[in-house]
Amino acid sequence: MNYFLTEEQQMIKDLAAKIADEKIKPVALKYDEEGIFPRDIVKVLADSDLFGVYIPEEYGGFGGGIFEMALVVEELSRACGGIALAYAGTGLGTYPIILFGTEEQKAKYLPDIAQGKKLAAFGLTEANAGSDAAGIQTTAKADGDEYILNGTKQWITNGGEAEVYTVIACTDRSKGARGFSAFIVEKGTPGFSFGKKENKMGIRASVTSELVFEDCRIPRENLLAREGMGFLVAMKTLDRTRPGVASQALGIAQGAFDEALKYSGERVQFDKPISSFQAIQHMLADMAIQIEAARCLVYQTCRHIDGGAKSISKESAISKVFASDTAMKVTVDAVQVMGGYGYMKEYPVEKMMRDAKITQIYEGTNQIQRNVIALELIKSQKVSK
Amino acid sequence: MNVIVCVKQVPGTNEVKMNKETNTIIREGAEAIINPFDTYAVEEGVRIKEQTGGKATVISMGIPSVAELLRQTIAVGIDEAVLLSDRAFAGSDSLATSYALSKGINKIGDFDLVICGKQAMDGDTAQVGPGLAEKLGIPHTTYVRKIEEIRKGYIRCQRMTEDGYEVIEMPLPAVITVVKEINEPRLPSLKGMMKAKKAEIRIMTADDIGADKDLCGLKGSPTQVVETFVPVHDVNSEMIEGTPGEQVKRLAEKLLSMKFMTVK
Amino acid sequence: MSGIRIIEESCIGCRLCVKACPFGAIRMDGRKAVILDNCTLCGICVPACKFNAIDYEKGPVSNAVDITKYSGVWIFAEQKNGVPEPISYELLGAGRKLADDRKTRLTAVVIGDKLSDACEKLIAYGADEVMAVEDGSLAVYNDESYSDIFVQMIRKGRPEILLMGATTYGRSLAPRIASRINTGLTADCTRLEIDPADGKLLQTRPAFGGNLMATIICPNHRPQMATVRHKVMKPLEPDYSRKGLVTRPEVSIPRETSVKVREVVKTIFEMVSLAEADVIVSGGRGLGAPENFKLINELAEVLGGAVGASRATVDAGWIEYNHQVGQTGQTVGPHVYFACGISGAVQHLAGMSSSDIIVAINKNPDAPIFKVATFGIVGDAMEILPLLIKEFKAALG
């Protein structure tokens, strides 16, 4: 299918695909098994300039948008959804700066991120603030030229590995959701440490850990946007990066499908390759149908966002839900097509099935996404009335 | 230090299927690629340039479309690409190729080191490197697995041998051919790819490089192919069944009955 | 003028040439074949055409020599520390047959230091004459001095055929010499025979990773040079009663070479090298972990063989590159090749499929290695290997 990518987008996709096939595929199972952070792959990605695709040119990037980032995430996820997250998680941590950063903040942080010298992370979730982000307990108290942060962020992708963190904390509890603010915190700041490293079902090559703030003092200039805009910063960021999760799901699904298709041609039962049996053929066809539909949706959503559309919450939620549900279905079916071999760790599809599950959960569960979609639908009804 | 790297375009696959009825070969969808061994040569050339300053140039001989392939080398750090392309070069064996490349390299001029891959994947002859060095009148070392030291006028490198390696010193300019152990080629960068897209590939004809056409192509090639055929591998595969213990016993019996082992 | 063209009257549009062309350089235009610009003039299409519809004109070649002034078959006898390498005997075996067919003499050229034992052996293995160049400075192979000396000898002795081993040194020396004297060189020949019609050397070699064989001649230049891989040619039974001539040709030995071999380091200490081994035990990813190569080593030791490896294990850093078998590693041809936990990618098969007997051990019954295997065992190499080691230890004492 012709997806009408620009020449540069095609170049980015091809380069990411090359890295996925040559560098990530051979080590994906090892990283999954050992659950270690893929520093060497991050180096390869940095050398390839891919960290800069969505960063404005004036800060050393290529000036692309969410679409360019999604193309990279999709290709990397085809080989390993976990390793891809070191990249995608950096995008998530960087977008608040791109969207809301001052000239000085951008000039300070974006060039290093674009060159892959620094990774980023996004700190929103807490033990009691999952789907209900308003339950954030971490506080930031103004004190002269500084803010003092206290609290613990949980399940933070790239936690401990990233150098730049954008963190949402409460500056005024009395104002509810309007009492949150967003801050940039650098690794190494006194009072900022890393807690428990999680042992996960899937995306095991991605590191997920706690961010612990104990009287952590940061300069006032690290405030993003204005006080009280933290919730908005978080929501606007997530609206933009959801297609990133969608493309991660899409890549995982594609990777599993490729394995299943290849296997079905090689595996011989009853003296025939199993791809000659209709039961298998229909499964493969269904997988392909869903993947193609997901890709068209994700790509179109990215174009919608990058085109400067004002209303993007519903669209980005739809793409995230559809692509992640697709990834789950396709990976389960890929294991089924491959039977006992699919269930074994020597073949990559059981890992892909484990990796797929998270895409239905994080950056807003698919249930929350449906809430968002429904809310927007109802809102539009009211407006049109 | 200025480095010239020789690369060759080869078919992307060596899989040759045979049409049993006509006894001819069928080659399908063979995309052209840069000879994999040459990618190590390119990487080494770029590294030497990065370490010592100077320029890294690739040179190839082939049909005009090879020019597009050479852009890949620019994407990984080569400064300039030169393609020798002329009908007069068609049908070259390794001697005629060595001659044409030597003329091209002399035309580029001002070089310290020429690097070739160990051999080409399609021909597997490994002859052009040494043949080229002879035509250039400079020393060569084959199968280099490591450059220990390189500076103006001097190189010390390790040549891989059947049971280890040798440390060899040569004056520069010289030719080396490299094995894959020497490095791990980098992937292209986006910036490199953008540069490659815009780069101009210099195409030179036999006249441009002052080559004697009598020494090029078919005319300059002492060897001729008189026949080709697809080898027949008649394998009578026998799968040995049973428990691991039984399998091993039967396999050992079969092999021992063949007396395959020379007495040691 | 040399070139190629389709004789339109004769072309019936059967497409045989299109299929034969390895470069995709022939296209059908209507019912006639057309040769495209990317033709390399390799000539493969010419014999493929059953209707003589391809006119392939080589034209007058340059630098042709008077071939009647050349006679005799020479081989380059490689030696280490005064002991001929096995390849030298294999070349003598091949050379003997060619010399007999041409009714001429077989000469071994040996360069080195302290060669008297070597000369004797080379005669026992079939040489009529041994030309020995001895000098302390020649003890270790050196591209520059060896090629200088060899070229002097060729210019004086004018052999019609010169064979060398497709060894590290042979593959360096032969092209250097061929380039200096402007003659043809065919690498890695697997068959050498004399054309009974005109006495030319027919040199057959694999191309495209062994998927195609090509027979090559060198009609107008001398010597006709070829390299031969290890284990391809059979040595004769040595006969120490054979009489032969040992000569010391007058050559000038370069006193000062610009190429200097400073050190010779051995890193592989097994009894036999991959190239020369009769038995090779190779391991692949199926071994599961690098430390499991010790089982491969052990079986190889029991069988007096060498250790091989798949590309994947070398790339993963489990074992050194010198052990890699396959297209990007070494090409081997032992009597028995054990592929343990190797799936058998085409690139691997290209490097070992000429082995006499191939034993494949792999968990996956669909692994391509079983397609070339003489004996196949579907099972875990880690389970089979210890049993095999035990079994052979018992059988071989």
Side-chain angles (χ1 to χ4, degrees):
Chain A
M1 181 111 69
N2 183 351
Y3 300 106
F4 298 101
L5 303 182
T6 64
E7 203 177 331
E8 282 174 11
Q9 286 165 343
Q10 191 62 52
M11 205 184 266
I12 288 167
K13 191 173 158 81
D14 291 346
L15 180 55
K18 201 172 164 66
I19 293 173
D21 292 332
E22 292 180 19
K23 302 289 176 183
I24 301 181
K25 253 190 202 158
V27 299
L29 294 185
K30 186 187 95 181
Y31 278 112
D32 176 67
E33 187 91 18
E34 295 168 8
I36 46 173
F37 189 76
R39 269 288 153 199
D40 52 341
I41 305 290
V42 169
K43 169 88 170 52
V44 171
L45 290 171
D47 290 344
S48 70
D49 305 328
L50 285 178
F51 275 107
V53 296
Y54 55 90
I55 290 176
E57 281 177 272
E58 56 265 45
Y59 304 110
F62 276 83
I66 285 294
F67 197 7
E68 281 74 13
M69 178 171 91
L71 289 171
V72 176
V73 173
E74 178 193 350
E75 286 304 326
L76 301 183
S77 301
R78 205 163 43 74
C80 178
I83 291 176
L85 207 49
Y87 178 84
T90 293
L92 181 61
T94 306
Y95 252 94
I97 303 177
I98 298 176
L99 294 176
F100 297 97
T102 61
E103 199 51 50
E104 291 74 25
Q105 286 169 337
K106 288 181 185 172
K108 182 169 178 194
Y109 294 105
L110 295 185
D112 282 351
I113 293 172
Q115 286 174 44
K117 285 186 190 158
K118 287 182 176 169
L119 298 183
F122 184 58
L124 173 66
T125 304
E126 296 183 8
N128 294 313
S131 291
D132 179 12
I136 288 171
Q137 303 290 316
T138 300
T139 58
K141 209 176 121 206
D143 181 38
D145 283 346
E146 295 175 326
Y147 282 98
I148 308 168
L149 270 61
N150 276 290
T152 301
K153 293 284 169 188
Q154 184 177 263
W155 301 340
I156 305 305
T157 297
N158 287 351
E161 297 291 340
E163 283 76 19
V164 180
Y165 295 79
T166 47
V167 174
I168 310 295
C170 185
T171 38
D172 187 346
R173 186 143 322 275
S174 67
K175 289 187 179 160
R178 291 183 187 279
F180 296 125
S181 303
F183 301 93
I184 303 169
V185 186
E186 292 178 35
K187 185 179 180 174
T189 308
F192 177 24
S193 62
F194 304 101
K196 192 175 118 199
K197 201 183 141 204
E198 305 293 342
N199 187 11
K200 304 186 293 296
M201 171 188 185
I203 52 162
R204 293 174 52 81
S206 171
V207 61
T208 311
S209 58
E210 286 179 336
L211 313 183
V212 182
F213 301 100
E214 293 162 305
D215 289 329
C216 171
R217 286 175 173 273
I218 56 168
R220 235 174 209 284
E221 69 242 29
N222 282 20
L223 173 69
L224 267 172
R226 292 191 307 277
E227 262 192 40
M229 283 180 70
F231 202 69
L232 185 82
V233 169
M235 292 309 126
K236 291 273 177 213
T237 296
L238 292 173
D239 278 349
R240 276 186 169 63
T241 55
R242 256 179 225 116
V245 180
S247 59
Q248 182 196 21
L250 176 61
I252 294 172
Q254 184 69 51
F257 174 73
D258 292 344
E259 291 292 332
L261 182 65
K262 183 167 141 241
Y263 179 87
S264 69
E266 288 167 358
R267 173 68 169 171
V268 174
Q269 291 286 276
F270 309 104
D271 295 329
K272 283 182 192 161
I274 61 169
S275 60
S276 63
F277 302 118
Q278 206 174 42
I280 301 291
Q281 290 171 352
H282 284 188
M283 286 177 84
L284 292 170
D286 279 335
M287 292 157 87
I289 292 166
Q290 294 170 76
I291 291 171
E292 208 52 74
R295 180 171 295 117
C296 291
L297 178 58
V298 173
Y299 285 12
Q300 199 49 36
T301 307
C302 290
R303 289 190 172 110
H304 175 71
I305 295 172
D306 288 339
K310 283 236 153 38
S311 155
I312 59 172
S313 302
K314 183 184 74 186
E315 290 73 10
S316 81
I318 289 177
S319 75
K320 193 260 180 182
V321 169
F322 188 79
S324 59
D325 286 351
T326 294
M328 201 63 242
K329 272 191 266 177
V330 167
T331 52
V332 168
D333 284 350
V335 172
Q336 190 67 21
V337 165
M338 294 176 65
Y341 286 105
Y343 197 71
M344 298 299 151
K345 293 222 174 212
E346 282 147 285
Y347 287 83
V349 287
E350 65 81 31
K351 167 193 177 289
M352 291 167 168
M353 182 174 143
R354 287 185 283 111
D355 288 352
K357 187 64 208 171
I358 192 63
T359 63
Q360 292 181 304
I361 298 172
Y362 66 8
E363 291 205 34
T365 64
N366 283 10
Q367 285 67 38
I368 288 290
Q369 302 302 329
R370 288 180 167 92
N371 285 357
V372 170
I373 297 163
L375 217 70
E376 292 281 329
L377 290 173
I378 294 161
K379 248 194 328 200
S380 68
Q381 276 297 97
K382 283 182 184 150
V383 169
S384 60
K385 263 181 195 165
Chain B
M1 206 162 288
N2 295 329
V3 184
I4 297 177
V5 181
C6 303
V7 304
K8 182 184 184 188
Q9 167 180 288
V10 298
T13 169
N14 273 338
E15 277 183 80
V16 179
K17 285 186 190 133
M18 183 183 174
N19 181 333
K20 292 226 165 71
E21 281 156 31
T22 58
N23 196 33
T24 53
I25 52 168
I26 311 167
R27 291 182 65 85
E28 282 161 356
E31 179 201 4
I33 58 167
I34 291 177
N35 173 36
F37 289 108
D38 296 345
T39 61
Y40 303 99
V42 168
E43 175 67 26
E44 202 59 24
V46 172
R47 285 187 191 187
I48 292 170
K49 173 200 82 166
E50 286 171 349
Q51 282 156 19
T52 67
K55 198 169 153 191
T57 308
V58 294
I59 185 169
S60 185
M61 186 177 92
I63 55 176
S65 65
V66 175
E68 287 314 302
L69 213 53
L70 296 184
R71 292 186 191 280
Q72 293 175 10
T73 66
I74 294 175
V76 292
I78 289 287
D79 298 297
E80 199 188 350
V82 174
L83 174 65
L84 309 182
S85 195
D86 195 315
R87 286 303 298 165
F89 297 138
S92 294
D93 69 1
S94 59
L95 185 74
T97 305
S98 302
Y99 170 73
L101 284 175
S102 73
K103 297 301 277 188
I105 287 169
N106 277 329
K107 179 77 188 176
I108 295 168
D110 188 21
F111 63 93
D112 298 286
L113 183 67
V114 176
I115 311 180
C116 305
K118 168 185 127 171
Q119 64 197 50
M121 250 223 335
D122 54 350
D124 278 342
T125 72
Q127 285 168 191
V128 169
L132 168 63
E134 175 63 36
K135 293 284 177 231
L136 289 169
I138 58 179
H140 81 268
T141 295
T142 53
Y143 295 4
V144 171
R145 60 169 220 168
K146 188 177 180 192
I147 293 178
E148 290 187 349
E149 192 188 339
I150 182 163
R151 54 182 150 81
K152 203 83 195 162
Y154 174 84
I155 185 171
R156 190 175 68 245
C157 55
Q158 297 180 358
R159 158 197 269 174
M160 199 177 86
T161 60
E162 276 91 352
D163 58 3
Y165 65 92
E166 296 169 349
V167 178
I168 294 176
E169 285 179 339
M170 295 189 290
L172 295 182
V175 175
I176 59 171
T177 77
V178 298
V179 293
K180 74 169 212 171
E181 215 187 23
I182 194 163
N183 59 43
E184 191 183 344
R186 72 192 70 186
L187 290 173
S189 67
L190 267 187
K191 289 198 183 92
M193 287 166 89
M194 302 275 180
K195 189 181 162 211
K197 203 174 81 179
K198 291 184 208 126
E200 195 184 319
I201 312 291
R202 268 167 79 194
I203 296 188
M204 300 207 260
T205 62
D207 288 337
D208 292 340
I209 58 174
D212 177 348
K213 285 187 187 162
D214 283 346
L215 300 178
C216 295
L218 266 190
K219 271 183 130 177
S221 298
T223 59
Q224 278 176 23
V225 177
V226 285
E227 190 196 0
T228 61
F229 55 95
V230 175
V232 214
H233 298 294
D234 260 337
V235 184
N236 255 333
S237 285
E238 182 182 341
M239 299 303 281
I240 302 177
E241 315 278 345
T243 65
E246 291 163 5
Q247 286 174 317
V248 164
K249 262 211 148 46
R250 258 185 256 159
L251 174 65
E253 272 168 25
K254 283 176 193 298
L255 292 177
L256 289 167
S257 73
M258 292 175 161
K259 296 201 185 354
F260 67 88
M261 273 143 310
T262 48
V263 183
K264 288 266 154 20
Chain C
M1 175 67 195
S2 56
I4 193 161
R5 86 187 165 91
I6 303 286
I7 305 165
E8 287 205 5
E9 314 75 271
S10 308
C11 177
I12 63 148
C14 70
R15 309 177 63 91
L16 283 177
C17 56
V18 177
K19 290 174 185 159
C21 177
F23 301 96
I26 310 180
R27 201 185 57 201
M28 295 307 294
D29 188 4
R31 315 238 11 210
K32 303 286 171 198
V34 179
I35 294 174
L36 306 175
D37 275 353
N38 58 336
C39 167
T40 67
L41 296 183
C42 72
I44 283 176
C45 55
V46 180
C49 179
K50 304 287 177 241
F51 304 93
N52 295 323
I54 301 176
D55 180 23
Y56 181 59
E57 182 66 54
K58 208 177 136 81
V61 282
S62 315
N63 286 332
V65 298
D66 180 357
I67 63 173
T68 59
K69 295 209 169 113
Y70 291 75
S71 68
V73 175
W74 288 14
I75 66 116
F76 172 50
E78 276 185 54
Q79 51 80 30
K80 238 176 223 160
N81 304 319
V83 183
E85 296 274 327
I87 185 73
S88 306
Y89 302 140
E90 293 163 25
L91 291 174
L92 283 172
R96 184 71 266 162
K97 174 90 177 50
L98 299 177
D100 290 348
D101 286 354
R102 289 290 295 148
K103 300 188 173 57
T104 183
R105 290 161 68 79
L106 174 63
T107 303
V109 174
V110 59
I111 302 174
D113 192 28
K114 304 198 174 66
L115 299 172
S116 40
D117 280 1
C119 294
E120 218 170 278
K121 286 200 176 98
L122 293 169
I123 289 168
Y125 275 89
D128 297 318
E129 180 185 351
V130 178
M131 293 202 280
V133 181
E134 265 176 296
D135 191 87
S137 70
L138 301 172
V140 173
Y141 174 83
N142 180 306
D143 274 306
E144 192 176 331
S145 54
Y146 274 50
S147 55
D148 279 357
I149 291 166
F150 220 124
V151 167
Q152 294 176 50
M153 291 167 75
I154 292 169
R155 290 202 166 125
K156 214 176 273 172
R158 297 179 173 234
E160 59 185 297
I161 291 173
L162 170 56
L163 308 181
M164 296 197 185
T167 58
T168 301
Y169 297 149
R171 288 182 123 207
S172 181
L173 181 63
R176 182 102 206 182
I177 292 173
S179 183
R180 193 171 308 174
I181 55 184
N182 287 309
T183 189
L185 167 63
T186 307
D188 298 343
C189 296
T190 53
R191 204 167 72 203
L192 293 167
E193 49 199 352
I194 299 295
D195 186 337
D198 55 11
K200 284 190 189 99
L201 180 63
L202 299 172
Q203 308 159 82
T204 301
R205 72 179 302 264
F208 297 111
N211 286 303
L212 192 69
M213 304 298 290
T215 301
I216 291 164
I217 56 170
C218 176
N220 304 307
H221 298 73
R222 291 294 179 268
Q224 306 162 85
M225 286 180 68
T227 64
V228 179
R229 282 185 185 167
H230 286 281
K231 294 271 164 207
V232 171
M233 303 296 172
K234 298 265 170 284
L236 304 173
E237 282 299 318
D239 172 2
Y240 286 91
S241 64
R242 281 196 78 220
K243 292 275 167 274
L245 193 66
V246 176
T247 56
R248 314 268 161 185
E250 259 180 56
V251 291
S252 89
I253 296 166
R255 279 302 136 208
E256 184 67 24
T257 57
S258 65
V259 177
K260 295 184 172 67
V261 180
R262 286 296 180 206
E263 226 182 308
V264 179
V265 183
K266 235 174 124 112
T267 56
I268 296 187
F269 295 97
E270 280 125 48
M271 297 295 291
V272 277
S273 72
L274 267 184
E276 291 167 6
D278 286 327
V279 177
I280 292 174
V281 186
S282 268
R285 271 307 254 268
L287 295 178
E291 56 272 19
N292 294 336
F293 253 99
K294 66 173 188 287
L295 290 175
I296 299 286
N297 290 325
E298 206 180 333
L299 182 59
E301 200 179 312
V302 172
L303 298 177
V307 171
S310 72
R311 176 181 168 157
T313 58
V314 173
D315 283 355
W318 293 7
I319 187 165
E320 263 197 77
Y321 173 57
N322 307 47
H323 292 275
Q324 186 178 320
V325 172
Q327 195 152 54
T328 52
Q330 298 194 49
T331 304
V332 299
H335 291 318
V336 187
Y337 186 89
F338 288 84
C340 309
I342 293 176
S343 64
V346 281
Q347 292 82 356
H348 190 79
L349 301 185
M352 46 63 78
S353 57
S354 64
S355 308
D356 298 331
I357 296 170
I358 294 168
V359 178
I361 304 167
N362 202 295
K363 261 194 275 192
N364 177 4
D366 303 323
I369 190 79
F370 288 118
K371 295 209 173 77
V372 301
T374 326
F375 301 117
I377 291 183
V378 177
D380 187 345
M382 293 312 299
E383 194 179 341
I384 303 290
L385 277 170
L387 296 172
L388 265 180
I389 292 166
K390 224 173 105 192
E391 193 69 31
F392 279 118
K393 259 190 187 159
L396 300 169

